[in-house]
Amino acid sequence: MPRSLRTFTVLPHLPTRLLGLQKLAYNLWWCWNQEAISLFRRLDDRRFEQADNSPVKLLATVEQERYDQLLRDDGFLVHMDRVVHALDNYLTGSTWFQETYGRTADSPEAVANRHRLAYFSAEFGIHESIPVYSGGLGLLAGDHLKAASDLGLPLAGVGLMYREGYFRQYLNVDGWQQERYPENDFVNLPLVSETKADGTPLLVNTPMPGRDVWARVWRIQIGRIPLYLLDTNIAQNNADDRQITARLYGGDHDMRIRQEMVLGIGGIRALLALGKPPTVCHMNEGHSAFSGLERTRLLMEQHNLDFTSAKEAVIAGTCFTTHTPVPAGNDIFAPHLIQHYFAGYLPQLKIGWEDFLGLGRQNSRDANEPFCMTVLALRMSNISNGVSRLHGQVSRKMWKAIWPELPEAEIPITSITNGVHTRTWMAPEFSQLYDRYLGVQWEERPTDHSIWRRVDNIPNAELWRTHERRRERLVVFARSRLRAQLERRGAPPSEIARSEEVLDPETLTIGFARRFATYKRGTLIFRNLERLTALVNDKDRPVQFVFAGKAHPRDHGGKELIAEIIHVSRRPELRRRMVFVEDYDVNVARYLVQGVDVWLNNPRRPLEASGTSGMKVCINGGINLSILDGWWCEGYTGDNGWAIGAGEEYTDLAYQDDIESRAIYDLLEQEIVPLYYNRSSDGLPRGWLKLMKRAMATVCPIFNTNRMVQEYMEKCYAPSADRFERLSAENLKRAAALAQWRRRLAREWGQLRVENVSANSTDSMQVGSQLEVEARVNLGSLTPDDVDVHLFHGVVDNLGEVPSPVTASMSPNGAHQGSTWMYKGIIPCRASGNYGYAVRVLPKNPDLGNPFEPGLVCWG
């Protein structure tokens, strides 16, 4: 190869009249607009599918002759103009954010500037043609951006642009997962290079030991939302650093920390270089937690502040979502690795190593504890949340050591349950059905329960025919993929021919597709093969299964589960009723959630943080059969699907597998199969259709990303923006004061004590009476303005704990002797039972985001 290689790019040449196609191709709004998708299919349906359903790739491969034909096709031109007009209306139309937060005296620009939101994630699953995602975390991030666009939030996404992305899966003859890493062709992706004023690519640096790593900034437009992706594969970096953005979740701890430094530190610098400094940063999982350190450094530099003062403002403007319910799933780094990579960065923060490492330790004084990115994210955020109610409880239990004095129920981690972007995952046939019988408002108001109750208006015959067409499409797709898989493996012609006989478009179809982690128990249904064989081979009421999913390349246990499915599905008595579809991605997921009758989900409770696949199924008339874990704890109403068990948790895992696998067989044999095959005289399964409609009406209006993002805006973004604005005013005057108050609090809290507690009765009380409590509290050198004195009370359980506490403020009566103050409070006796109470003191400051966040409590 020549030593000096000059490069140039060849782009497709579209006639001026067809430039609307290019405009549409470079805004991912098209991927949730059925009219836009059908437009590109009209261009060349076969090539569109061959190009991973990518308009950009499609436009690059269409011959000039075809464009000449389209110029003479009035129907196509009218279709194109209509879709372009729809995009323009979408981008300029009124939005929920404007209507909700724009009704102030401020200009729309001022409102947007006060709420400049940045959403950081290591992966984004927007569409299968942009493979920079691995699974649920990325798909959730992609759906978050789409809903933020629909709602009009002034938000930008920040991530990494991987050259190879996540692996593509194929199975060898023995069913063992193999990985390949094809390179992404950036020219044929909807990427726009961000540039400087002189037209050269915008580059940002991230400090590394002895060097800077540079990253190019790309943009993908998702409706109204820009997604900025950093790419280190550029000539300014050495060969090793160019690999930082090679693979998603690739490499060892050394590579992971470099990726997370580029994401967090480089991501903040990219936003600044683009003229978009965020007021609120949302960290989707802990991978981007270094962003908080970089924001702190910048405020220190800009305002000549110390670390703790600048950190107060950053905390006020930061939110964090944790997705991982097991400690092993959270990134940790050895202290020596942190010290190696931050040796040059630390002096700019003007703090010592122990203080720095303490930010990532549950016990900040434990020198033997590694540095955890989740802990750093929790410490650098004013609002943290899990992704379902149950996951919120699990997260509070996991991280309670950070706040050792607090009861578990009051650990400052809340929950916002995940949702899915309805229009992305809905089959076009169902979209048309909803337009006819729910009214077109369902698209604009997907959270409106009254609209979704109209599913009862859908004629049973029409709903069933629509669902059957989607099942038929799934069967055709699965057969086609199976045939391609067998041909690639070199299977004999007879086996390839049999692929056309696999699955039946009229048979009850159960789907199981997800990341193949061992706790998700992908082979639980195989625990009793005799019962399974009887189910699938019933002459009159058969059942069939479609499996899909990837195991992490280093997850040997997950790969064994996939291999077991392959071996079982090859048994002569099962092979016509069981298929494993290789290379699970958004496209495969779309066919599955739009085509199955039942979605099977059987993780070990409580290890499923949320899960979203089952939500996508309900949009398309599918029904959930799931463990009461993650979102299904909230979604299950008793009459909208099936629950496996009653939410039990086990210590004997083999016993758990026996019990819950039997529960699945019992439900299938006694309820699911009979309900599906019980047909009325017109051939319709009326009981099943009633269940389908109930699932739609109860799941769809709640478990969608419009509701989710509105909740983030109301509970996280808006309060954080207000706090950040308040603490940043007047050269961060209030942030500095808060930091000074916090230092005084930490220094003097040990003097505080509750000296005496008395009540008007210590024996039995009558319902309707009030227990009056007095407490003598010695505040030391603190004042009543620095503290809240609470009555902590509630029903006492058998362990002597108050599992669901209620708090009531106690008021100082003005009487005090020196530093000792008298406080009074009342406990109303509203119901009979065994109650307990205690007096406690918490910090109080109007600029403190949460009284529990400092972790300081004085109990009486």
Side-chain angles (χ1 to χ4, degrees), residues 189-207:
L189 290 174
L191 295 171
V192 175
S193 177
E194 291 293 337
T195 58
K196 296 185 289 189
D198 60 4
T200 58
L202 176 65
L203 305 180
V204 295
N205 68 310
T206 301

PDB file of all heavy atoms in Angstrom, residues 189-207:
ATOM      1  N   LEU A 189     -24.101   4.989   6.511  1.00  0.00           N
ATOM      2  CA  LEU A 189     -24.912   5.198   7.705  1.00  0.00           C
ATOM      3  C   LEU A 189     -25.400   6.640   7.700  1.00  0.00           C
ATOM      4  O   LEU A 189     -24.761   7.513   7.089  1.00  0.00           O
ATOM      5  CB  LEU A 189     -24.083   4.928   8.966  1.00  0.00           C
ATOM      6  CG  LEU A 189     -23.702   3.474   9.243  1.00  0.00           C
ATOM      7  CD1 LEU A 189     -22.760   3.383  10.435  1.00  0.00           C
ATOM      8  CD2 LEU A 189     -24.932   2.621   9.495  1.00  0.00           C
ATOM      9  N   PRO A 190     -26.506   6.931   8.379  1.00  0.00           N
ATOM     10  CA  PRO A 190     -27.045   8.301   8.365  1.00  0.00           C
ATOM     11  C   PRO A 190     -26.259   9.230   9.294  1.00  0.00           C
ATOM     12  O   PRO A 190     -26.816   9.909  10.157  1.00  0.00           O
ATOM     13  CB  PRO A 190     -28.486   8.110   8.837  1.00  0.00           C
ATOM     14  CG  PRO A 190     -28.434   6.912   9.718  1.00  0.00           C
ATOM     15  CD  PRO A 190     -27.396   5.999   9.110  1.00  0.00           C
ATOM     16  N   LEU A 191     -24.938   9.251   9.115  1.00  0.00           N
ATOM     17  CA  LEU A 191     -24.043  10.043   9.955  1.00  0.00           C
ATOM     18  C   LEU A 191     -23.734  11.370   9.280  1.00  0.00           C
ATOM     19  O   LEU A 191     -23.443  11.420   8.086  1.00  0.00           O
ATOM     20  CB  LEU A 191     -22.727   9.302  10.196  1.00  0.00           C
ATOM     21  CG  LEU A 191     -22.786   8.008  11.001  1.00  0.00           C
ATOM     22  CD1 LEU A 191     -21.441   7.304  10.964  1.00  0.00           C
ATOM     23  CD2 LEU A 191     -23.175   8.299  12.449  1.00  0.00           C
ATOM     24  N   VAL A 192     -23.769  12.437  10.069  1.00  0.00           N
ATOM     25  CA  VAL A 192     -23.348  13.755   9.595  1.00  0.00           C
ATOM     26  C   VAL A 192     -22.167  14.182  10.455  1.00  0.00           C
ATOM     27  O   VAL A 192     -22.242  14.151  11.683  1.00  0.00           O
ATOM     28  CB  VAL A 192     -24.493  14.783   9.715  1.00  0.00           C
ATOM     29  CG1 VAL A 192     -24.009  16.176   9.331  1.00  0.00           C
ATOM     30  CG2 VAL A 192     -25.673  14.360   8.854  1.00  0.00           C
ATOM     31  N   SER A 193     -21.070  14.540   9.819  1.00  0.00           N
ATOM     32  CA  SER A 193     -19.883  14.961  10.553  1.00  0.00           C
ATOM     33  C   SER A 193     -20.072  16.381  11.072  1.00  0.00           C
ATOM     34  O   SER A 193     -20.363  17.300  10.297  1.00  0.00           O
ATOM     35  CB  SER A 193     -18.655  14.896   9.639  1.00  0.00           C
ATOM     36  OG  SER A 193     -17.511  15.375  10.323  1.00  0.00           O
ATOM     37  N   GLU A 194     -19.915  16.561  12.379  1.00  0.00           N
ATOM     38  CA  GLU A 194     -19.945  17.916  12.933  1.00  0.00           C
ATOM     39  C   GLU A 194     -18.626  18.606  12.581  1.00  0.00           C
ATOM     40  O   GLU A 194     -17.557  18.002  12.681  1.00  0.00           O
ATOM     41  CB  GLU A 194     -20.147  17.875  14.448  1.00  0.00           C
ATOM     42  CG  GLU A 194     -21.534  17.404  14.867  1.00  0.00           C
ATOM     43  CD  GLU A 194     -22.627  18.390  14.469  1.00  0.00           C
ATOM     44  OE1 GLU A 194     -22.321  19.595  14.277  1.00  0.00           O
ATOM     45  OE2 GLU A 194     -23.791  17.969  14.340  1.00  0.00           O
ATOM     46  N   THR A 195     -18.708  19.856  12.183  1.00  0.00           N
ATOM     47  CA  THR A 195     -17.521  20.558  11.702  1.00  0.00           C
ATOM     48  C   THR A 195     -17.319  21.872  12.450  1.00  0.00           C
ATOM     49  O   THR A 195     -18.241  22.418  13.069  1.00  0.00           O
ATOM     50  CB  THR A 195     -17.629  20.854  10.203  1.00  0.00           C
ATOM     51  OG1 THR A 195     -18.805  21.637   9.963  1.00  0.00           O
ATOM     52  CG2 THR A 195     -17.712  19.560   9.393  1.00  0.00           C
ATOM     53  N   LYS A 196     -16.087  22.377  12.352  1.00  0.00           N
ATOM     54  CA  LYS A 196     -15.769  23.701  12.882  1.00  0.00           C
ATOM     55  C   LYS A 196     -16.161  24.762  11.857  1.00  0.00           C
ATOM     56  O   LYS A 196     -16.622  24.444  10.754  1.00  0.00           O
ATOM     57  CB  LYS A 196     -14.280  23.777  13.208  1.00  0.00           C
ATOM     58  CG  LYS A 196     -13.858  22.811  14.316  1.00  0.00           C
ATOM     59  CD  LYS A 196     -12.408  22.979  14.707  1.00  0.00           C
ATOM     60  CE  LYS A 196     -11.467  22.480  13.628  1.00  0.00           C
ATOM     61  NZ  LYS A 196     -10.052  22.449  14.080  1.00  0.00           N
ATOM     62  N   ALA A 197     -15.958  26.021  12.208  1.00  0.00           N
ATOM     63  CA  ALA A 197     -16.358  27.119  11.320  1.00  0.00           C
ATOM     64  C   ALA A 197     -15.655  27.050   9.980  1.00  0.00           C
ATOM     65  O   ALA A 197     -16.207  27.477   8.955  1.00  0.00           O
ATOM     66  CB  ALA A 197     -16.077  28.460  12.005  1.00  0.00           C
ATOM     67  N   ASP A 198     -14.426  26.492   9.960  1.00  0.00           N
ATOM     68  CA  ASP A 198     -13.679  26.430   8.701  1.00  0.00           C
ATOM     69  C   ASP A 198     -14.031  25.199   7.870  1.00  0.00           C
ATOM     70  O   ASP A 198     -13.422  24.952   6.824  1.00  0.00           O
ATOM     71  CB  ASP A 198     -12.178  26.463   8.963  1.00  0.00           C
ATOM     72  CG  ASP A 198     -11.699  25.290   9.819  1.00  0.00           C
ATOM     73  OD1 ASP A 198     -12.531  24.402  10.141  1.00  0.00           O
ATOM     74  OD2 ASP A 198     -10.510  25.245  10.171  1.00  0.00           O
ATOM     75  N   GLY A 199     -15.012  24.399   8.338  1.00  0.00           N
ATOM     76  CA  GLY A 199     -15.444  23.240   7.576  1.00  0.00           C
ATOM     77  C   GLY A 199     -14.695  21.969   7.877  1.00  0.00           C
ATOM     78  O   GLY A 199     -15.051  20.908   7.348  1.00  0.00           O
ATOM     79  N   THR A 200     -13.668  22.023   8.708  1.00  0.00           N
ATOM     80  CA  THR A 200     -12.922  20.813   9.069  1.00  0.00           C
ATOM     81  C   THR A 200     -13.655  20.064  10.169  1.00  0.00           C
ATOM     82  O   THR A 200     -14.414  20.662  10.943  1.00  0.00           O
ATOM     83  CB  THR A 200     -11.496  21.163   9.534  1.00  0.00           C
ATOM     84  OG1 THR A 200     -11.586  22.075  10.654  1.00  0.00           O
ATOM     85  CG2 THR A 200     -10.716  21.830   8.406  1.00  0.00           C
ATOM     86  N   PRO A 201     -13.446  18.729  10.283  1.00  0.00           N
ATOM     87  CA  PRO A 201     -14.170  17.947  11.293  1.00  0.00           C
ATOM     88  C   PRO A 201     -13.911  18.453  12.710  1.00  0.00           C
ATOM     89  O   PRO A 201     -12.783  18.830  13.055  1.00  0.00           O
ATOM     90  CB  PRO A 201     -13.622  16.531  11.108  1.00  0.00           C
ATOM     91  CG  PRO A 201     -13.150  16.493   9.696  1.00  0.00           C
ATOM     92  CD  PRO A 201     -12.630  17.871   9.411  1.00  0.00           C
ATOM     93  N   LEU A 202     -14.969  18.477  13.515  1.00  0.00           N
ATOM     94  CA  LEU A 202     -14.848  18.860  14.921  1.00  0.00           C
ATOM     95  C   LEU A 202     -14.213  17.711  15.694  1.00  0.00           C
ATOM     96  O   LEU A 202     -14.707  16.582  15.658  1.00  0.00           O
ATOM     97  CB  LEU A 202     -16.229  19.184  15.491  1.00  0.00           C
ATOM     98  CG  LEU A 202     -16.288  19.515  16.986  1.00  0.00           C
ATOM     99  CD1 LEU A 202     -15.539  20.798  17.283  1.00  0.00           C
ATOM    100  CD2 LEU A 202     -17.744  19.629  17.445  1.00  0.00           C
ATOM    101  N   LEU A 203     -13.115  17.995  16.390  1.00  0.00           N
ATOM    102  CA  LEU A 203     -12.424  17.008  17.213  1.00  0.00           C
ATOM    103  C   LEU A 203     -12.419  17.484  18.656  1.00  0.00           C
ATOM    104  O   LEU A 203     -12.278  18.672  18.929  1.00  0.00           O
ATOM    105  CB  LEU A 203     -10.986  16.792  16.738  1.00  0.00           C
ATOM    106  CG  LEU A 203     -10.767  16.398  15.273  1.00  0.00           C
ATOM    107  CD1 LEU A 203      -9.273  16.226  14.993  1.00  0.00           C
ATOM    108  CD2 LEU A 203     -11.509  15.119  14.931  1.00  0.00           C
ATOM    109  N   VAL A 204     -12.574  16.551  19.589  1.00  0.00           N
ATOM    110  CA  VAL A 204     -12.469  16.869  21.015  1.00  0.00           C
ATOM    111  C   VAL A 204     -11.481  15.910  21.657  1.00  0.00           C
ATOM    112  O   VAL A 204     -11.300  14.786  21.192  1.00  0.00           O
ATOM    113  CB  VAL A 204     -13.834  16.782  21.730  1.00  0.00           C
ATOM    114  CG1 VAL A 204     -14.777  17.842  21.208  1.00  0.00           C
ATOM    115  CG2 VAL A 204     -14.452  15.407  21.572  1.00  0.00           C
ATOM    116  N   ASN A 205     -10.840  16.365  22.712  1.00  0.00           N
ATOM    117  CA  ASN A 205      -9.796  15.557  23.343  1.00  0.00           C
ATOM    118  C   ASN A 205     -10.228  15.044  24.699  1.00  0.00           C
ATOM    119  O   ASN A 205     -11.044  15.651  25.403  1.00  0.00           O
ATOM    120  CB  ASN A 205      -8.510  16.368  23.495  1.00  0.00           C
ATOM    121  CG  ASN A 205      -8.661  17.493  24.512  1.00  0.00           C
ATOM    122  OD1 ASN A 205      -9.605  18.270  24.448  1.00  0.00           O
ATOM    123  ND2 ASN A 205      -7.736  17.592  25.454  1.00  0.00           N
ATOM    124  N   THR A 206      -9.692  13.892  25.056  1.00  0.00           N
ATOM    125  CA  THR A 206      -9.849  13.312  26.385  1.00  0.00           C
ATOM    126  C   THR A 206      -8.451  13.034  26.926  1.00  0.00           C
ATOM    127  O   THR A 206      -7.658  12.371  26.252  1.00  0.00           O
ATOM    128  CB  THR A 206     -10.648  11.998  26.338  1.00  0.00           C
ATOM    129  OG1 THR A 206     -11.944  12.240  25.784  1.00  0.00           O
ATOM    130  CG2 THR A 206     -10.821  11.408  27.735  1.00  0.00           C
ATOM    131  N   PRO A 207      -8.114  13.538  28.128  1.00  0.00           N
ATOM    132  CA  PRO A 207      -6.754  13.340  28.640  1.00  0.00           C
ATOM    133  C   PRO A 207      -6.519  11.890  29.056  1.00  0.00           C
ATOM    134  O   PRO A 207      -7.336  11.287  29.741  1.00  0.00           O
ATOM    135  CB  PRO A 207      -6.688  14.275  29.843  1.00  0.00           C
ATOM    136  CG  PRO A 207      -8.116  14.430  30.294  1.00  0.00           C
ATOM    137  CD  PRO A 207      -8.951  14.339  29.045  1.00  0.00           C
TER     138      PRO A 207
END
